[in-house]
Amino acid sequence: MGDEFKIYVHRLKDGQKEIIEETFSSDFMEIHEEDLAFSVPVKVHGEAEFVDQALLLRLDVETEATMPCAVCNEDVQVKVEVSGLCHTEELKNIKGDVFNFKDILREAILLELPSRAECADGKCPRREDIARYFFRS
Ligand SMILES: [Zn+2]
């Protein structure tokens, strides 16, 4: 548990690659808002390596967010995928030989969120009601 999100740099110094294959509880997102929540585990797949005095991290991330439908306001599960997230951290900035990628991961997921969600794959059944309302003469 305590090792979550951590990369031990000394293990990588001899040019070894570390494969990252993890599933994290979405608790680390620390978001419990009315219009945004994370309840599905966050899957992370990628690798870490050490190149030119820097740690190079490449991650693919997969999870789901719960957002309200923009039309009917019901909760919608929205797939969130980040592919090829890259991060370079110079060795001199890594304190104590351990690099924690939690914040990078969290930020990347938040950046990938759609600005709006709609239920039924974008075909909210309430859409018609609303269209009728707007186009009524
Ligand atoms: Zn809807």
Side-chain angles (χ1 to χ4, degrees), residues 2 48 57 101 105:
L57 196 63
F101 61 87
L105 186 60

Side-chain angles (χ1 to χ4, degrees), residues 2-137:
D3 274 358
E4 279 194 329
F5 311 107
K6 286 179 186 167
I7 291 168
Y8 294 92
V9 180
H10 66 268
R11 285 190 203 159
L12 294 168
K13 276 182 190 164
D14 51 4
Q16 237 181 325
K17 263 188 197 177
E18 186 173 317
I19 301 293
I20 300 163
E21 191 78 75
E22 305 247 31
T23 302
F24 302 111
S25 153
S26 58
D27 292 352
F28 81 93
M29 293 301 294
E30 288 169 358
I31 288 174
H32 306 281
E33 286 169 29
E34 207 167 303
D35 57 355
L36 180 63
F38 291 87
S39 52
V40 170
V42 178
K43 285 188 203 156
V44 177
H45 167 88
E47 56 187 29
E49 72 182 308
F50 197 69
V51 180
D52 293 335
Q53 296 298 302
L55 173 68
L56 192 63
L57 196 63
R58 274 186 298 264
L59 301 174
D60 292 326
V61 187
E62 213 185 296
T63 188
E64 285 179 20
T66 310
M67 295 170 72
C69 170
V71 182
C72 70
N73 217 35
E74 290 289 325
D75 280 352
V76 191
Q77 285 299 112
V78 181
K79 246 194 183 341
V80 182
E81 283 178 349
V82 184
S83 53
L85 167 65
C86 279
H87 182 81
T88 312
E89 193 72 51
E90 283 187 42
L91 183 63
K92 62 176 181 338
N93 297 331
I94 301 174
K95 289 181 196 109
D97 219 30
V98 179
F99 182 68
N100 188 316
F101 61 87
K102 184 167 97 170
D103 291 343
I104 291 164
L105 186 60
R106 192 173 176 277
E107 200 170 304
I109 291 170
L110 292 177
L111 279 173
E112 207 60 34
L113 285 176
S115 53
R116 74 193 286 285
E118 192 173 322
C119 67
D121 289 325
K123 296 184 186 72
C124 176
R126 287 286 305 281
R127 229 182 218 282
E128 266 180 49
D129 300 354
I130 287 169
R132 218 173 286 144
Y133 175 81
F134 276 118
F135 298 118
R136 200 166 49 181
S137 51

